[in-house]
Amino acid sequence: DAGITQSPRHKVTETGTPVTLRCHQTENHRYMYWYRQDPGHGLRLIHYSYGVKDTDKGEVSDGYSVSRSKTEDFLLTLESATSSQTSVYFCAIQGERVGETQYFGPGTRLLVL
Amino acid sequence: EDKVVQSPLSLVVHEGDTVTLNCSYEVTNFRSLLWYKQEKKAPTFLFMLTSSGIEKKSGRLSSILDKKELFSILNITATQTGDSAVYLCAVAPAGFAGGTSYGKLTFGQGTILTVHP
């Protein structure tokens, strides 16, 4: 398995509270991604990073922010959690070689009450 | 907007059956199509297809891409209960490694495959 960990693995929080999810990699890969997975929607890209301090929005970025201060860590923050952000969140990493695929972390289950 | 549609959404078969999963796409700048398998945890990579008509094979699984008709199929022969999973199709946009759009995958909804003994 690619060296990707996510923390926490499970979290229950209340509406309106900020939440930060962490993705940590040991592969030194340049590209990192945050997805959410909901029934009937597959995986949808939230934000991604193409280098330290270089990030951009994905398909469903409203209500989320990210930061990447070092290669190995990519943080996803829900600024004020809402029940619609209850989901499973996956981080993925990808190297720069042509044809390199994305490898996914174990996921974080977030429940917003 | 890029779009990926998988069919069927769910499928129930018995061990030994052969199944075909479908993935059609509309993408502005296509680079490759990927298949993943997800078993109650993180998706795991199966295949990456870039060229039309060239079959990729791994054991009982095989996949092929048709860039003219904009679809791919994933075949599983002699299914086993361990094949039960969600199968995800994704398309990757054109872009060079090192570019800012590299790796922005668009996923389909997934096909839930259940294989009964």
Side-chain angles (χ1 to χ4, degrees):
Chain A
D1 290 345
I4 317 169
T5 56
Q6 292 183 231
S7 60
R9 295 292 312 281
H10 299 88
K11 186 167 181 69
V12 180
T13 191
E14 294 186 347
T15 298
T17 60
V19 176
T20 295
L21 309 183
R22 180 184 185 230
C23 176
H24 179 79
Q25 60 147 328
T26 57
E27 305 295 324
N28 201 36
H29 280 345
R30 176 179 177 179
Y31 298 93
M32 298 185 77
Y33 306 85
W34 276 109
Y35 294 90
R36 61 178 287 173
Q37 187 173 35
D38 306 289
H41 288 280
L43 286 153
R44 291 181 292 174
L45 182 64
I46 305 171
H47 281 280
Y48 64 102
S49 171
Y50 47 96
V52 173
K53 298 187 180 177
D54 289 325
T55 65
D56 205 350
K57 296 179 180 180
E59 178 187 356
V60 289
S61 59
D62 287 347
Y64 302 95
S65 62
V66 290
S67 65
R68 191 167 178 203
S69 59
K70 45 187 178 176
T71 299
E72 57 264 38
D73 289 323
F74 191 32
L75 304 180
L76 176 71
T77 298
L78 288 64
E79 292 137 12
S80 177
T82 66
S83 58
S84 66
Q85 294 176 311
T86 291
S87 189
V88 180
Y89 291 85
F90 287 101
C91 174
I93 63 173
Q94 184 174 16
E96 287 187 72
R97 288 179 302 141
V98 174
E100 186 77 49
T101 188
Q102 289 186 18
Y103 296 95
F104 286 83
T108 294
R109 287 191 174 274
L110 176 67
L111 175 61
V112 183
L113 300 174
Chain B
E1 183 180 319
D2 296 345
K3 189 175 177 183
V4 179
V5 177
Q6 293 185 244
S7 63
L9 294 182
S10 66
L11 190 56
V12 179
V13 300
H14 288 94
E15 274 193 320
D17 290 348
T18 294
V19 298
T20 298
L21 309 184
N22 303 289
C23 176
S24 63
Y25 62 90
E26 296 173 24
V27 178
T28 305
N29 290 299
F30 176 86
R31 174 169 62 88
S32 57
L33 185 144
L34 299 92
W35 285 97
Y36 287 86
K37 178 182 181 182
Q38 187 176 24
E39 301 172 85
K40 297 188 184 299
K41 52 183 181 178
T44 55
F45 173 74
L46 293 174
F47 297 112
M48 178 185 286
L49 302 154
T50 306
S51 302
S52 267
I54 299 175
E55 184 181 56
K56 294 241 176 157
K57 199 169 170 64
S58 176
R60 295 176 295 102
L61 277 67
S62 63
S63 183
I64 198 162
L65 174 68
D66 185 328
K67 289 169 74 173
K68 182 180 177 184
E69 300 298 330
L70 308 183
F71 77 92
S72 174
I73 60 172
L74 175 68
N75 279 320
I76 309 175
T77 59
T79 52
Q80 303 171 356
T81 55
D83 295 325
S84 295
V86 177
Y87 290 84
L88 297 165
C89 170
V91 293
F96 297 103
T100 57
S101 65
Y102 186 71
K104 285 181 67 177
L105 300 182
T106 300
F107 281 83
Q109 324 93 301
T111 293
I112 303 171
L113 175 64
T114 303
V115 182
H116 289 309

